[in-house]
Amino acid sequence: MRFKNSIIAVAATLSVCAVMPASASIFMYDDASDLDTTEKKEWDASAEVGLLFTSGNTETETFKAKLNLARDFENWRHKGVIDYYRSEQEDQATGDTILTGDRTFVSGQSNYKFEPDSRSSVFIFGSYEEDKFSGYEYQGTLAVGYGARYRYSESLYADYEVGPGYSVNKPIVNGVPQEQESSVIVRVAGNLVWDISKNSKFNALASSEVGEDNTKTRAEVSISANVNSSLALKFSVAGNHNSYLEDSSKEKLDTETAVTLVYSF
């Protein structure tokens, strides 16, 4: 059953970023000079923040912050993400504040392109996540492999990656942390970027880390619209799924819908 779930997760990962490019493949550029290989001497960075407060019968506070870093030049392409989410709710009976969500996710990746104008590259990827509400105290991944970037039109491109890796995690059962576990994995990932217009962008990304016992899958779909040259409003839907949890009282799928303000600098 776990193997079947792993196959389904990998298929879902590939389909998220393959459906739209497949339909647009007739526009694929054959000229390597059309790839994104323009040298950028500075980092591209954006920070997004979202806040939600409710009062009355239900008192809640939700905070989300995310930092994205990227640099693409000559033979190298780098990117990093720091994503933090926290939510609290007031217990109406006692008046105490109850923590209902607290997640930190950090990842970094570097791709070495075989040639400055090459579609192909080799990558190294690392991530670390703390989310005690997910059934794991922490989950970490290190992977290497092959990556390829395909441009389907001037405004649409996709990255595909696959390679072996190693994961570590620490399960939580009934609130009690267990012994650290580790396993060899295969990581499959895809990222689709579509500049809908000069002021709006669509982004879809998905990844699956397939291990012997657990398959961890992350996915996010977002659309953003510029307010001005530096600010944008972003709507996103994200999901985080573990195919196996030792604590049966936990849900395998966590979802997040957010509206955030993005500042680019």
Side-chain angles (χ1 to χ4, degrees):
M1 182 61 71
R2 294 181 192 172
F3 179 75
K4 181 179 178 181
N5 290 337
S6 299
I7 296 298
I8 294 173
V10 172
T13 301
L14 293 174
S15 64
V16 167
C17 291
V19 172
M20 185 173 293
S23 64
S25 59
I26 57 174
F27 299 107
M28 184 181 295
Y29 284 16
D30 293 324
D31 187 351
S33 64
D34 291 317
L35 298 176
D36 284 341
T37 56
T38 303
E39 181 176 354
K40 296 181 180 180
K41 298 186 180 296
E42 303 296 335
W43 286 86
D44 289 332
S46 65
E48 59 182 90
V49 177
L51 294 170
L52 175 63
F53 300 94
T54 65
S55 61
N57 292 319
T58 303
E59 302 276 349
T60 63
E61 296 181 5
T62 302
F63 173 75
K64 175 179 173 60
K66 189 173 184 179
L67 176 66
N68 288 282
L69 299 171
R71 187 181 185 187
D72 190 347
F73 72 111
E74 294 181 345
N75 289 83
W76 287 96
R77 182 163 60 243
H78 308 291
K79 60 182 177 181
V81 176
I82 301 175
D83 192 353
Y84 178 71
Y85 172 85
R86 181 183 178 89
S87 63
E88 297 178 348
Q89 182 172 335
E90 183 179 308
D91 189 317
Q92 295 296 317
T94 63
D96 296 333
T97 298
I98 302 172
L99 185 65
T100 57
D102 189 9
R103 185 191 70 249
T104 302
F105 175 80
V106 180
S107 72
Q109 179 172 323
S110 289
N111 288 59
Y112 178 76
K113 294 175 280 187
F114 300 138
E115 297 290 342
D117 58 355
S118 174
R119 291 190 175 97
S120 299
S121 64
V122 291
F123 75 87
I124 180 169
F125 169 88
S127 69
Y128 179 80
E129 180 177 35
E130 286 187 358
D131 183 2
K132 297 180 180 180
F133 293 89
S134 70
Y136 290 94
E137 183 171 327
Y138 60 79
Q139 292 178 286
T141 299
L142 181 65
V144 297
Y146 171 79
R149 169 169 291 188
Y150 287 93
R151 178 165 289 282
Y152 297 92
S153 72
E154 292 184 358
S155 60
L156 176 65
Y157 72 87
D159 292 323
Y160 303 96
E161 296 162 353
V162 61
Y166 187 76
S167 71
V168 295
N169 62 74
K170 192 169 187 178
I172 297 177
V173 180
N174 298 322
V176 180
Q178 307 297 300
E179 293 294 325
Q180 178 178 287
E181 301 175 344
S182 60
S183 67
V184 175
I185 62 168
V186 174
R187 175 178 166 82
V188 181
N191 184 21
L192 173 70
V193 179
W194 178 26
D195 291 323
I196 303 173
S197 68
K198 184 178 179 180
N199 296 313
S200 61
K201 177 181 290 187
F202 175 84
N203 194 314
L205 59 89
S207 66
S208 281
E209 297 165 1
V210 184
E212 182 179 358
D213 294 321
N214 181 48
T215 296
K216 179 179 174 62
T217 302
R218 296 174 59 87
E220 179 179 311
V221 176
S222 67
I223 186 169
S224 60
N226 293 343
V227 177
N228 55 39
S229 59
S230 299
L231 290 176
L233 193 63
K234 176 181 174 182
F235 173 77
S236 62
V237 178
N240 195 349
H241 181 269
N242 286 285
S243 65
Y244 174 73
L245 296 176
E246 292 189 20
D247 190 341
S248 59
S249 66
K250 295 290 185 178
E251 295 287 341
K252 296 181 179 180
L253 175 64
D254 292 318
T255 61
E256 176 187 305
T257 302
V259 177
T260 54
L261 189 64
V262 182
Y263 176 71
S264 300
F265 52 96

